[in-house]
């Protein structure tokens, strides 16, 4: 069951079918067992209490995993934006012709990293965007090497090389954070456990002749928790997406003329 590649509406529909389907199935089975409710009350009651407690812990664990990964991805965007911004500022302090060439490449690079925020992971567009970024990184590193050869003792060049290295590392960290998803086995366990618990709850309430509205409300709450947990793990295509405001603002600021003038030629 590849839940990650489903679109958000399809995912919501699948969860509705599974969660409410098992709940209603439990209610229907419970109605057929009403004549034996004295026999099934104790064993089913003990079972549904234990399973509900287990599923509650499982849902909390899955939601915590999803929120943690979401926070890491959001932090990675800010970290990368800061690294690119620092590199852009320091690129203005190295000598020509590497200065102008690096500035132009960095402007292209930040737009590519901004676009990555709207690419679905593992898609062709996503892989192409990553490949384009790596190509620009190599060009920037080549220009940085040439700048070091031209001015081996210049502190500005060394600072620029250091910030460029941090920028490349930040890109790798962000891509790793995007790829770090909740294992499919954990998601299936959450959904399967929740469906089983709700089915037993519906069976128990229906067998006792109680109102089944409680089971339906519980199913709605569990559906919402599952949807949020799975949606948080789909940062580029879900209802809840990782904000790219830091990169959006950086693209605007980098489109302005450089704040620092080109240094005089050495030698």
């Amino acid at each position: 069951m590849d839940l990650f590649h489903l679109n958000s509406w399809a995912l919501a529909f699948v969860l509705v079918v599974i969660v409410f389907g098992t709940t209603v199935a439990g209610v229907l089975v419970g109605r057929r067992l009403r004549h034996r409710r004295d026999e099934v009350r104790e064993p089913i009651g003990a079972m549904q209490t234990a399973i509900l407690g287990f599923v509650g812990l499982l849902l909390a664990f899955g939601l915590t995993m999803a929120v943690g990964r979401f926070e890491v991805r959001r932090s990675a965007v800010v970290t990368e934006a800061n690294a690119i911004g620092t590199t852009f500022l320091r690129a203005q302090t190295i000598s020509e012709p590497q200065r102008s060439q690096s500035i132009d490449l960095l402007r292209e690079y930040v737009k590519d990293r901004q676009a990555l925020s709207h690419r679905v992971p593992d898609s062709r567009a996503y892989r192409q965007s990553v490949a384009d970024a790596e190509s620009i990184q190599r060009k920037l590193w080549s220009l940085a090497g040439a700048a070091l050869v031209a001015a081996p003792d210049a502190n500005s060049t060394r600072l620029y090389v250091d910030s460029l290295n941090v920028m490349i590392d930040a890109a790798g960290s962000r891509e790793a954070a995007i790829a770090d998803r909740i294992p499919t086995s954990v998601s299936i366990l959450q959904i399967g456990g929740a469906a089983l618990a709700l089915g037993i709850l519906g069976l128990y309430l229906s067998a006792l002749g109680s109102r089944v509205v409680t089971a339906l409300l519980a199913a709605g709450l569990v559906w919402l928790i599952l949807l949020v947990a799975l949606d948080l793990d789909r940062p580029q295509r879900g209802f809840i997406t990782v904000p790219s405001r830091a990169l959006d603002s950086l693209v605007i600021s980098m489109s302005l003329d450089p704040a620092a003038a080109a240094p005089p030629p050495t030698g």
Side-chain angles (χ1 to χ4, degrees):
M1 183 185 296
D2 191 357
L3 298 174
F4 180 77
H5 291 93
L6 292 176
N7 65 57
S8 298
W9 292 107
L11 175 64
F13 177 75
V14 168
L15 292 178
V16 164
V17 171
I18 294 174
V19 171
F20 285 93
T22 53
T23 305
V24 172
V27 169
L28 295 177
V29 173
R31 286 181 177 178
R32 301 187 63 178
L33 295 176
R34 281 184 182 177
H35 66 285
R36 302 176 55 189
R37 58 185 172 187
D38 292 335
E39 298 176 25
V40 301
R41 174 183 298 178
E42 186 174 342
I44 295 180
M47 184 187 302
Q48 66 99 14
T49 300
I51 292 179
L52 283 175
F54 169 73
V55 170
L57 291 174
L58 190 62
L59 290 176
F61 174 69
L63 187 59
T64 300
M65 290 179 65
V67 170
R69 282 165 169 75
F70 181 82
E71 290 296 331
V72 169
R73 295 182 187 116
R74 184 167 64 176
S75 176
V77 171
V78 176
T79 299
E80 183 173 31
N82 289 337
I84 296 173
T86 300
T87 305
F88 181 73
L89 292 176
R90 290 181 177 178
Q92 300 172 27
T93 65
I94 64 176
S95 301
E96 296 288 1
Q98 291 83 16
R99 175 182 182 272
S100 296
Q101 294 172 348
S102 298
I103 287 174
D104 291 340
L105 284 173
L106 285 168
R107 284 172 171 161
E108 180 182 352
Y109 181 78
V110 72
K111 291 179 181 178
D112 181 84
R113 303 308 288 178
Q114 179 193 35
L116 192 70
S117 299
H118 309 289
R119 301 281 189 262
V120 176
D122 300 333
S123 66
R124 179 180 298 179
Y126 179 89
R127 291 191 293 270
Q128 184 60 53
S129 186
V130 170
D132 291 342
E134 291 175 350
S135 175
I136 296 174
Q137 288 171 3
R138 288 192 294 269
K139 293 177 182 177
L140 286 168
W141 195 254
S142 177
L143 289 171
L148 272 176
V149 171
D153 298 325
N155 288 332
S156 59
T157 304
R158 294 184 178 276
L159 287 172
Y160 168 70
V161 171
D162 180 67
S163 63
L164 181 59
N165 183 62
V166 171
M167 185 191 80
I168 294 173
D169 289 343
S173 297
R174 182 183 173 202
E175 290 162 13
I178 293 174
D180 183 21
R181 300 193 292 269
I182 296 176
T184 302
S185 57
V186 174
S187 299
I188 293 175
L189 180 61
Q190 283 183 288
I191 297 171
L196 176 62
L198 290 168
I200 294 176
L201 177 62
L203 186 155
Y204 179 72
L205 293 175
S206 181
L208 295 181
S210 303
R211 295 176 65 86
V212 297
V213 175
T214 303
L216 295 176
L217 290 175
L221 178 60
V222 169
W223 170 79
L224 184 60
I225 293 173
L226 286 172
L227 181 61
V228 170
L230 294 173
D231 198 55
L232 282 171
D233 207 39
R234 300 147 54 85
Q236 273 80 11
R237 66 179 308 178
F239 297 115
I240 308 171
T241 58
V242 175
S244 60
R245 287 188 294 272
L247 286 169
D248 297 340
S249 300
L250 186 61
V251 169
I252 295 173
S253 65
M254 287 176 62
S255 65
L256 303 176
D257 293 334
T266 57

